[in-house]
Amino acid sequence: MQQNTFGLGRRSDLDAELDRRGVSGLTAGRVVAQHRGHWLVALTAPGGSGPRLFAARGRLRVRPPVAGDWVAIDAGGAICAVLERRGVLSRRAAGKAPAEQILAANVDLALVVEPLPEPNDRRAERFLALARGGIAAALVLTKADLEPEGQAVAARAARRLGIADAIAVSAHDGTGLQMLRGLLEPGATAVLLGRSGAGKSTLVNALLGERRQVTKPVRASDGRGRHATVTRELIALPDGALIVDTPGLREVGLWDGSDATFADIARLAGGCRFADCRHAGEPGCAVRGAVDDARLAAWRKLEREQSRLDVSRRAGRERKESARALSRQARAAARRKGRA
C-alpha cells in the first residue's frame, strides 16, 4: 500500500530505492518546478523549511527532472539521481526528429480541461490519448456559468469520448467544484491538460481558495487563450491532493499510442468478422454505425500518426545501433593495429 510521504504524494518505497543506490547521506525529495537549470524540490524529511532550489550533479542517468519526479539529493546538496518514474505523461516533442517530451511524472489522474459553451471533442481526445501507464483520465468542462446545461453537456461528452468521469465546473460560482474535489484523493497527483485560456490556472486558484496562479483573459478578437502559466508546477491542495498546473499546449503529438482513448472502438472491434478490420468498408464490421463518424475518423487519424511515429522511431533506433556497431569495429581495428 502506498503512503502519503509528508504531504508530497504516494510513495512507500523511497527508503528502499535510496538504499539500493549504495550511497550514504541521500535524501529523497519531489520536484515542484524547474527554473533555468535548477529545480525547486520539496524534501521528505519532516520539519524542513519548504521547497529549495537544487542543481543536478554531473550527468543524470535519465533526462533532467520534471514536475512530479522523485529525486535523490546527496550529502553535498545536489540532485544525483531521478528515482523510478511511475505514471509518466508525455507527448512527442516539437521538431522533425522523433523525441519524447515528458510533461509530468508520477501522475495518478489526468484532468483534460475544455471550456464551455463549446468544448472540442477532437482536441479532448488528443489530450486524453496522452494518459497511459496506469493514469486515469477525466474531462473537466470549465466556465459552466456560461452554459445552463453544463452537467448534461459533460455527460454527453463522456459518452462520446468513452470515459467514465466528466464534470462541468465554474470557478466563478463554484458549480461542480465539490464533485471535482471528489476525484482528487488525498496523496494522489493530478495534472491539468488543455489549451491556453481553457481556465486551468483559474481552476487551481478555485481549488486552493486563493489567487495564487496568474491568469489572463482570452483575446476578445478570436476567443483564443494567452499563456499565463509558463512552467509546470506541482501544487499541494488543502485536502491533501496534489495537482500539476501546465502551460497551454499548442501541439499534442502522441508518443506512445492511443488505445486507452479509443477503448470503446477496441471493444466493439472484437465483434468484427475480420480480425484486421479497419472499419472502413469491410463486411461484418461491428464498429461502423455503432460509433460516431467523426470519432471513427479521429481514431483513423491518430492510428496513422502513431504508425508513422513507430516507423520513424524504429529507423532512429536502427541508425543508432548501426553507429554503435561501426564504433565498436573501429575500436577493435585500432586495438589490432596497436598489437601489430
Side-chain angles (χ1 to χ4, degrees), residues 109-116 118-129 131 136-142 150-169 176 179-180 183 191-195 198 203 261 295:
L109 174 66
L111 297 174
V112 174
V113 180
E114 276 290 316
L116 288 163
E118 297 180 354
N120 187 311
D121 281 3
R122 304 288 79 82
R123 184 168 55 222
E125 278 171 341
R126 280 192 164 265
F127 283 116
L128 288 167
L139 179 67
V140 179
L141 301 184
T142 56
Q151 295 299 345
V153 173
R156 290 194 293 270
R159 288 194 293 271
R160 289 194 303 270
L161 296 171
I163 58 175
D165 296 307
I167 302 171
V169 302
M179 294 175 62
L180 179 57
L183 295 179
V191 63
L192 293 172
L193 297 171
R195 67 174 175 84
L203 184 59
T261 309
R295 180 163 171 78

Side-chain angles (χ1 to χ4, degrees), residues 100-227:
E100 180 183 21
Q101 180 190 12
I102 298 177
L103 303 175
N106 301 296
V107 173
D108 303 295
L109 174 66
L111 297 174
V112 174
V113 180
E114 276 290 316
L116 288 163
E118 297 180 354
N120 187 311
D121 281 3
R122 304 288 79 82
R123 184 168 55 222
E125 278 171 341
R126 280 192 164 265
F127 283 116
L128 288 167
L130 299 183
R132 60 183 175 86
I135 302 175
L139 179 67
V140 179
L141 301 184
T142 56
K143 309 182 184 182
D145 50 291
L146 302 179
E147 173 53 70
E149 300 298 322
Q151 295 299 345
V153 173
R156 290 194 293 270
R159 288 194 293 271
R160 289 194 303 270
L161 296 171
I163 58 175
D165 296 307
I167 302 171
V169 302
S170 169
H172 177 69
D173 61 19
T175 296
L177 285 178
Q178 196 58 37
M179 294 175 62
L180 179 57
R181 289 190 178 100
L183 295 179
L184 301 171
E185 300 177 0
T189 299
V191 63
L192 293 172
L193 297 171
R195 67 174 175 84
S196 296
K200 299 186 299 299
S201 295
T202 301
L203 184 59
V204 171
N205 288 339
L207 291 170
L208 286 169
E210 61 178 284
R211 191 180 183 279
R212 170 172 165 175
Q213 299 299 89
V214 176
T215 61
K216 292 182 180 180
V218 298
R219 290 198 298 254
S221 59
D222 57 9
R224 294 179 68 87
R226 295 178 290 176
H227 284 295

Side-chain angles (χ1 to χ4, degrees), residues 90-93 99-100 125-132 251-259 261-262 298-299 301-303 305-306 309-310 313:
S90 60
R91 66 167 176 170
R92 177 175 179 170
E100 180 183 21
E125 278 171 341
R126 280 192 164 265
F127 283 116
L128 288 167
L130 299 183
R132 60 183 175 86
E251 296 182 22
V252 190
L254 299 189
W255 181 252
D256 200 26
S258 59
D259 292 347
T261 309
F262 294 95
W299 171 79
K301 181 177 181 180
L302 291 180
E303 286 286 294
E305 181 179 323
Q306 187 65 47
L309 175 60
D310 289 343
R313 290 166 66 177

Side-chain angles (χ1 to χ4, degrees), residues 4-19:
N4 194 356
T5 307
F6 297 110
L8 299 181
R10 296 170 176 170
R11 197 68 165 242
S12 61
D13 53 354
L14 285 174
D15 289 340
E17 287 191 63
L18 295 180
D19 289 344

